[in-house]
Amino acid sequence: MSQPLDPLSLLTPAMRGLLERIARAGHPPLHALSPEGAKVAYLAGAPVLDIAAHPLARVQDFSIPTRDGARVAARLFAPAFDVALPVLLYFHGGGFTVGSVASHEPLCRQLAHLAHCAVLSVNYRLAPEAKFPTAVDDAWDALAWLREEADELGLDAKRMAVGGDSAGGTLAAVTAIAARDAGWPLALQMLFYPGCTGHQDTASHKTFARGFLLEEAQITWFFDQYLRTPADRDDWRFAPLDGVDAAGHPRDLEGVAPAWLGLAECDPLTDEGVMYADRLRHAGVAVALEIYAGMVHGFIQFGRTIPQALTAHNDAARALRRAFNPEH
């Protein structure tokens, strides 16, 4: 009888070595910290494995008003001043609880450089102070503000995309559905390993529950910080794959923006990402799906050590260039 495959054998040698070094370092997991301590630890750790920040001609900070009278910070990255660039509205990852414009600045700078577009990265409000659906509302308010202000900012209002990683990928996917509902065209939804389902019950959640950086205990902790009640898990604004609207109906995906998805093979979220790509295709949406072999959740920010991070940056940027310049 053949032995079951050891999931660790799927990792690339470089990724396996990196995970072993992280384990030897002995830092407490984020879910063992207070929410504020987790925010500090995540920000401190973000630059350790990430690429150096690419210099850009334009870096500008903004304050975006929200529907409830608050304001959220945002930072614009662009490789040029003197041309009306297309723009990617970006939402960082971090389980709706950690992460920031600062933690994802090298990634956003790299995408702006490689795709020759502007990137507006948003500091949507985080849990536990801001519970669901505050982040969703902030994401939508940021898109509405960007549409209104694009011309004034010297950006091309007719060429916009949304994107994000992990929880930010969830926000981008949900924003793309809402944009379809509003009749606001988007060139692309660029999703790095998005959370798509409300329940951690897929095969990849079981296979990669421990030992692959993002662990089930951490996912549960993030969701406990963010969600108001267990019922929120079944809201489409949290679970675009299988959530429902207020009337109990699943959301139709026909007519949403074309999608590019970049997933990590060894990630609890892989199966739901594949399933979301399938749902989009079945709705007639153009989908490009890349699964990066031997990678774990978060790998796009490991570019100092993991070459597949650079490959993913280039793949995503190519998708953006094609979406923004379909005539080419």
Side-chain angles (χ1 to χ4, degrees):
M1 182 181 296
S2 62
Q3 294 294 314
L5 178 69
D6 177 4
L8 288 170
S9 69
L10 298 172
L11 296 168
T12 66
M15 182 61 81
R16 189 163 187 168
L18 174 60
L19 295 185
E20 289 170 352
R21 293 196 299 277
I22 292 172
R24 285 198 300 271
H27 297 299
L30 295 182
H31 59 270
L33 304 173
S34 68
E36 187 54 43
K39 288 174 170 63
V40 172
Y42 183 86
L43 182 58
V48 173
L49 297 173
D50 212 344
I51 59 174
H54 195 284
L56 293 170
R58 182 181 184 186
V59 178
Q60 193 171 358
D61 289 332
F62 296 97
S63 177
I64 298 175
T66 64
R67 66 191 66 190
D68 60 356
R71 301 189 77 87
V72 296
R75 183 167 295 161
L76 182 72
F77 306 98
F81 267 107
D82 54 354
V83 60
L85 293 172
V87 57
L88 168 68
L89 181 65
Y90 195 84
F91 308 114
H92 66 80
F96 307 100
T97 307
V98 302
S100 63
V101 166
S103 65
H104 285 62
E105 180 158 337
L107 173 63
C108 289
R109 283 176 173 265
Q110 185 76 341
L111 291 172
H113 165 63
L114 294 173
H116 199 70
C117 70
V119 177
L120 183 69
S121 181
V122 181
N123 258 343
Y124 58 89
R125 286 172 284 178
L126 297 176
E129 294 80 11
K131 294 284 191 180
F132 174 84
T134 304
V136 177
D137 293 342
D138 286 354
W140 179 252
D141 292 345
L143 178 60
W145 179 87
L146 182 58
R147 282 174 51 87
E148 185 72 24
E149 299 293 329
D151 290 342
E152 185 71 23
L153 298 175
L155 304 172
D156 188 345
K158 294 184 175 63
R159 293 188 294 165
M160 288 188 179
V162 293
D165 61 289
S166 194
T170 308
L171 295 175
V174 168
T175 300
I177 296 171
R180 183 277 316 270
D181 294 346
W184 293 0
L186 293 171
L188 189 72
Q189 48 180 318
M190 185 198 74
L191 313 176
F192 287 113
Y193 31 77
C196 297
T197 183
H199 300 274
Q200 296 138 256
D201 55 7
T202 64
S204 61
H205 272 283
K206 297 177 176 65
T207 300
F208 304 111
R210 288 178 57 85
F212 296 86
L213 205 60
L214 178 65
E215 300 195 341
E216 283 303 309
Q218 186 169 309
I219 298 171
T220 298
W221 183 80
F222 281 144
F223 292 175
D224 286 347
Q225 305 305 310
Y226 179 54
L227 299 176
R228 301 165 299 186
T229 69
D232 286 339
R233 283 180 174 265
D234 297 314
D235 190 308
W236 73 274
R237 297 169 298 171
F238 177 70
L241 171 66
D242 52 11
V244 297
D245 62 19
H249 302 134
R251 293 308 312 269
D252 174 30
L253 299 178
E254 183 178 357
V256 304
W260 180 90
L261 288 89
L263 309 180
E265 180 186 22
C266 304
D267 180 353
L269 306 190
T270 300
D271 285 353
E272 62 202 75
V274 172
M275 293 162 68
Y276 194 60
D278 286 344
R279 266 208 72 198
L280 288 165
R281 286 195 186 106
H282 290 156
V285 177
V287 176
L289 172 63
E290 298 282 352
I291 301 178
Y292 296 91
M295 295 294 100
V296 302
H297 195 86
F299 80 96
I300 60 168
Q301 291 176 276
F302 300 166
R304 287 184 194 269
T305 306
I306 303 298
Q308 288 85 348
L310 308 182
T311 302
H313 299 165
N314 278 285
D315 291 344
R318 187 180 307 112
L320 286 165
R321 291 196 305 270
R322 289 174 174 170
F324 287 143
N325 304 285
E327 66 280 5
H328 297 151

